Amino acid sequence: MDPVFIAAGFVVLAIVYGVYRRYSYISLADVPGPESASFIMGNLKELYQGQAAEADFKWQAQFGNIVRFRGSFGEDQLMISDPAALQYILARSGYRFPKPHDRRTLSQMMNGKGIFSVDGDNHKRHKKIMLPGFGGPESKAFLLLFKNCAESMCNKWMEIISHSKEGSVVFNIPAWVSRATLDAIGEAAFDVRFNSIDNDENALARSYRGLMTDVFGSPSDGMLLFQDISKYIPPRILKYYIEMGKSPRITRMRETGNLATSVAKQLVKDKAEMLLGGKGSRDIFSLLAVKANMDTNAKAKLTEEELFAQMRTILAAGHETTSNTISWALLELARWPDIQSRLRAEIWETEATVHARGDVNFTIADFDAMPYTAAVIKEVLRLCCVAYHVHRCASQDDILPLSQPITTRSGEVIRELPVPKGTRIVVSIAAYNRNKELWGEDAHLFNPDRWLNGTAKEKKVTSIGVYSNLMTFLGGVRFCVGWRFAVIELQAFLTEIVGKFEFAPTDKTELIRREACLVMSPTIEGEVGNGVQLPLRVSLARRTGKGCQTPGCR
Ligand code: HEM
């Protein structure tokens, strides 16, 4: 065929395609949102350089639950906290809104090829294998173990306080709690004792300490820009860059990853020997490994590499999240002494019932009968959601349903929102958790009573969150597998800690920042370089009353 004729054919096809794209392309430019500060950086600095979700709350107040903002070089992106749109993105559309590939590469670098970094059928396989380890009965069985880990930490605090002249000590709370929760995850997930409460030198505990602030805290303009354009870099090249990169942040992440993998390999070896010797145990990993290796269907198995990655994922996801949540909880209780006292009163009252029936430890049924404790925990998870954002991407042109109509910049009222293929979506967990429609007019305030007086809409028509309709543990196909585990751990830790100690603010309390580093971690204004810090003054909780046998009684 004549080459000129072929070339002309291509040109015509290109023009037809160009015209088609021009008139079929869905634009987000008319969706309300903040003005872009610069063409190159868009709104990225405002969104990612402030404290965690600071921009989200500001934009939500100004523009509502659907906000169009600019990424780098004028790209339109969406920040969403609308319940119906989120239900559609996370649940109803299945895997049509996957994680963007740059986020998956990042997860892979942090945790290996585990559940965080896969999508579609592959993700279904991972989740199916993991879920049996995290069911209701499995998680409830860890209650005593969590209590014991919290008790070890409390015993250390008591010893230190007993040597202090003032009868109180300022502790950097997360430095202690993260060791206790690492011990808890070690034992619950792998039946291994890290003993990091007793041994501050534990290598894994030291390596995880401050990891997120070191790697993701205080991002420079260059880092933000790189993160935003990394979606255009082919996954293999991005992975190569991350694996070979020499920057201190990348090196820090890689070193922790290598250490976690070597711990995971040793655990797998020990566990395999135990299981072969017929000594199976009920820890999560034994359940997972047995399931992964015994399934006759090869497609339902995990490879050895995936198994290591799963362990790294559980180690990382299972202790920083709960540790930070407990630390934020104690900060709120220090700020609100009346709430702290009311919580302690319920804990002591239940403890008296437990002792009266001849028991030493609380059971799950006891927690079920503690409405104020439950309300405090829900309120902490709502207001201090440590995972404040997740990212998704539209894999095709799509239409988002909306809970409430929005008025576009040109004045049109729309009840559903068309989004073009490739749109990056920031799911604002934090903004959803402060949606006034769901949680009341005082949604920015720490007020556990909202869960008792019917203000909190736990059972809204558009139900999405797995726990009390909160978005904290996400919902839909990628809901947090560890949510029951986390809630029971919070119950056990808070009951133990608040039952024994009183928490008061220090002169640093008002300087505490909600540091945005993928997991919201506490730091101090002016001392961000010192890493995770949340100092509180801790003293023994004094009981009054005759016959009291417990520490702190007078
Ligand atoms: C307060 C504590 C916790 C919070 C706030 C939390 C939050 C979350 C969130 C928001 C996600 C979704 C991430 C995404 O899709 O990008 C997630 C996923 C996950 N979480 Fe948690 N989590 C907590 C505790 C735990 C614990 C204790 C474990 C394990 C022991 C755990 C294991 C996981 C795993 C394996 C996933 C991946 C699920 C999937 O992709 O299907 N989490 N978590």
Side-chain angles (χ1 to χ4, degrees), residues 19 36-37 51 88 111 175 209 216 228 243 247 252 280 287 318 321 366 380 400 473-474 489:
V19 171
S36 167
Q51 296 194 39
Y88 183 80
N111 303 304
R209 191 172 308 147
F216 300 106
D228 200 57
E243 276 170 4
S247 81
R252 172 83 166 88
L287 294 171
T321 47
D366 292 322
V380 169
L400 301 181
F473 298 110
L474 213 67
E489 192 172 357

Side-chain angles (χ1 to χ4, degrees), residues 293-325:
N293 294 320
M294 289 191 168
D295 207 307
T296 45
N297 177 5
K299 283 189 182 161
K301 291 186 179 188
L302 289 179
T303 64
E304 198 178 46
E305 191 192 357
E306 287 171 339
L307 209 53
F308 296 151
Q310 230 64 291
M311 297 178 74
R312 279 173 60 181
T313 306
I314 294 175
L315 272 176
H319 97 279
E320 278 296 322
T321 47
T322 40
S323 147
N324 276 307
T325 307

Side-chain angles (χ1 to χ4, degrees), residues 99 115-116 118 123 127 130 134 185 189 284 313-314 317-319 321-322 325 381 385-387 389-392 429 471-474 477-483 485-486 489-490:
K99 289 189 180 181
I115 189 166
F116 268 130
V118 287
H123 177 261
K127 195 121 183 177
M130 283 190 94
F134 291 92
I185 195 77
I284 294 173
T313 306
I314 294 175
H319 97 279
T321 47
T322 40
T325 307
L381 288 167
C385 46
V386 294
H389 283 166
V390 297
H391 292 239
R392 296 294 185 259
I429 294 177
M471 192 55 65
T472 311
F473 298 110
L474 213 67
V477 292
R478 301 201 76 119
F479 72 87
C480 168
V481 296
W483 75 267
F485 185 103
E489 192 172 357
L490 290 175

